[in-house]
Amino acid sequence: MFVVVPQQGKYSQFGGRCLPYSIWNLAEDYEKTYLDPAMQRLGGFENGSGWDVSNNKSFLGSVLKGTSGAEVLRLNLFQAERLVDDPDTLEYIKGLRDRGFEYVVIDGNNTSSAIYHFFKGEVGARDVPDDPNSELKYFSDFDESERMQIMCLPITVWDVESLDRDEMTALFRR
C-alpha cells in the first residue's frame, strides 16, 4: 500500500503538498489525469505539442540518469471539490470528475506524458541525453531488476487542492 506523507512547501497557500512519488506512481495516475489544453497547448506526447519526440527522448534519458529535476504540479479534484467555492471552478471540477478524472495537471503535462509513454513502450530514453545520435533504450530493453529500479526513481509531485481556474492558469504561466 502506498502511504502519502505530505510535506509543506512552496504551494502551501493552495493546500499544496509534496508527495513522495516515483515515476511509476506518476505513470499509474496518468489516465486519471486531465491534460488541460488551457494550460499547455493540448500538451503531452500523444497530442504532438509541447516537446517534440527528440525532447521526450532526451528528457527520459535525463530521468534515468537522475539529472532531470522534473516536477509536476496538479490539482487534486477530490479535495478541490470540497474546498473551492468559485461556482465556475466547481462546475469545471464536477465535469472532469464525471468523466473519471482525479487530477488536472497545472504544470508538467509533458513530463507526465513522456514518462507514461516510456512505460507503454512508445518512446525510448537516450542513453546520452544530450546526444541525439546516442542509443535509445525502451523500458522493455532493461532486465527485470533494472525495470524495478527505474519504476522506483523519484519525481517531485505537488498536489494542490484549494485554487480556482484563474489561479491555476496564473500558476502555470509563472
Side-chain angles (χ1 to χ4, degrees):
M1 177 178 205
F2 183 71
V3 177
V4 175
V5 181
Q7 299 173 14
Q8 293 299 311
K10 60 186 173 182
Y11 300 110
S12 296
Q13 73 267 30
F14 304 112
R17 299 173 314 197
C18 184
L19 304 178
Y21 253 45
S22 71
I23 63 172
W24 179 253
N25 297 130
L26 185 64
E28 285 186 311
D29 285 351
Y30 187 76
E31 291 181 11
K32 300 178 283 188
T33 303
Y34 182 60
L35 303 179
D36 191 333
M39 308 288 175
Q40 291 192 354
R41 310 164 303 270
L42 288 179
F45 180 80
E46 66 275 24
N47 293 312
S49 68
W51 297 345
D52 63 21
V53 174
S54 181
N55 293 134
N56 280 281
K57 294 172 182 176
S58 294
F59 165 72
L60 290 165
S62 295
V63 167
L64 298 185
K65 301 277 186 210
T67 60
S68 75
E71 185 171 292
V72 174
L73 173 62
R74 66 188 189 181
L75 178 70
N76 181 314
L77 296 173
F78 290 112
Q79 297 300 326
E81 191 170 26
R82 293 183 313 112
L83 299 170
V84 172
D85 55 12
D86 174 62
D88 292 337
T89 302
L90 282 172
E91 183 178 328
Y92 170 77
I93 289 168
K94 288 178 183 178
L96 291 175
R97 294 235 319 139
D98 288 347
R99 292 170 49 198
F101 293 109
E102 296 178 19
Y103 309 99
V104 173
V105 172
I106 297 168
D107 196 13
N109 283 349
N110 292 310
T111 294
S112 301
S113 176
I115 290 170
Y116 173 79
H117 290 285
F118 172 71
F119 284 120
K120 296 290 268 182
E122 297 168 2
V123 63
R126 291 208 186 287
D127 189 44
V128 180
D130 296 325
D131 179 358
N133 299 312
S134 72
E135 178 184 359
L136 284 179
K137 292 193 86 171
Y138 291 81
F139 186 63
S140 62
D141 293 335
F142 295 92
D143 67 35
E144 184 177 350
S145 174
E146 291 170 320
R147 285 193 301 269
M148 294 302 291
Q149 290 175 36
I150 290 168
M151 291 169 69
C152 292
L153 289 171
I155 188 160
T156 301
V157 175
W158 288 93
D159 261 10
V160 293
E161 55 192 36
S162 180
L163 70 167
D164 62 32
R165 286 191 76 191
D166 289 340
E167 291 169 320
M168 284 188 275
T169 303
L171 273 176
F172 167 69
R173 291 193 175 131
R174 275 187 234 143

